[in-house]
Amino acid sequence: MMMTSDWVLILDETEALCEMILSSEPAIALQQAYDAVYSDAQIVEAIYAFNRMKEQYEDVQRFGKYHPDYHTIMKSIRQQKRALDLNEKVSALKIAENDFQDLLDEISLLIGKTVSEAVKVPVSNPFFASGSSCGGGCGSGGSCSCSA
């Protein structure tokens, strides 16, 4: 592929967009929430313990209720998940992640619709999916109006 002035302009605009995204309020809030969680030794240890328990949980899932530690592991994984979910710093991180993902989804839709109205952009938030040309009916059980 040959580098033209159009490509250079696109790359310059891409870098500018990246800088804007990284300096946005959701990105800064995400970084602060991430730092708050991973600078707390107790939370980090709880996350590592939860990840170790997830490995045991996956092993239990292969055998189901016939696994000898089924009830113990199932109860423990739920307790650890709940403890993490109820932690203020962890919940703030999850909210910040969702806000940042919404920003990225909105930018993706704007770029996609700039290219063509027929572009299908995958998004994580159903609010943004309703703006797609498909109407959200293909895989959601609703009536689909797309011409696929």
Side-chain angles (χ1 to χ4, degrees):
M1 180 170 86
M2 195 167 183
M3 205 55 159
T4 63
S5 61
D6 291 338
W7 281 109
V8 172
L9 289 173
I10 290 172
L11 290 174
D12 287 343
E13 292 296 321
T14 303
E15 286 182 31
L17 179 61
C18 287
E19 288 176 16
M20 285 190 282
I21 291 171
L22 292 176
S23 64
S24 68
E25 286 181 28
I28 293 169
L30 176 62
Q31 186 62 48
Q32 290 172 344
Y34 181 89
D35 291 342
V37 167
Y38 287 96
S39 64
D40 188 327
Q42 285 183 320
I43 297 174
V44 170
E45 181 54 39
I47 291 170
Y48 286 137
F50 179 72
N51 286 332
R52 287 190 299 271
M53 184 56 67
K54 271 190 353 184
E55 292 172 5
Q56 292 178 348
Y57 173 79
E58 289 167 4
D59 187 46
V60 165
Q61 290 302 306
R62 292 186 326 172
F63 300 103
K65 64 181 180 180
Y66 301 107
H67 191 281
D69 296 328
Y70 174 79
H71 294 291
T72 306
I73 292 174
M74 295 300 285
K75 184 177 181 181
S76 179
I77 192 94
R78 284 193 297 269
Q79 288 172 338
Q80 288 180 357
K81 171 107 171 73
R82 181 161 173 77
L84 283 173
D85 286 345
L86 291 176
N87 185 295
E88 287 182 29
K89 292 179 181 178
V90 173
S91 62
L93 177 61
K94 287 183 178 186
I95 290 169
E97 286 174 341
N98 287 337
D99 291 345
F100 187 66
Q101 184 62 50
D102 288 346
L103 173 68
L104 295 177
D105 288 347
E106 192 172 350
I107 291 169
S108 297
L109 280 172
L110 286 171
I111 292 171
K113 296 305 175 190
T114 300
V115 172
S116 170
E117 283 295 318
V119 171
K120 304 240 186 298
V121 180
V123 292
S124 61
N125 187 336
F127 172 75
F128 293 119
S130 66
S132 70
S133 61
C134 184
C138 289
S140 62
S143 60
C144 179
S145 61
C146 69
S147 59

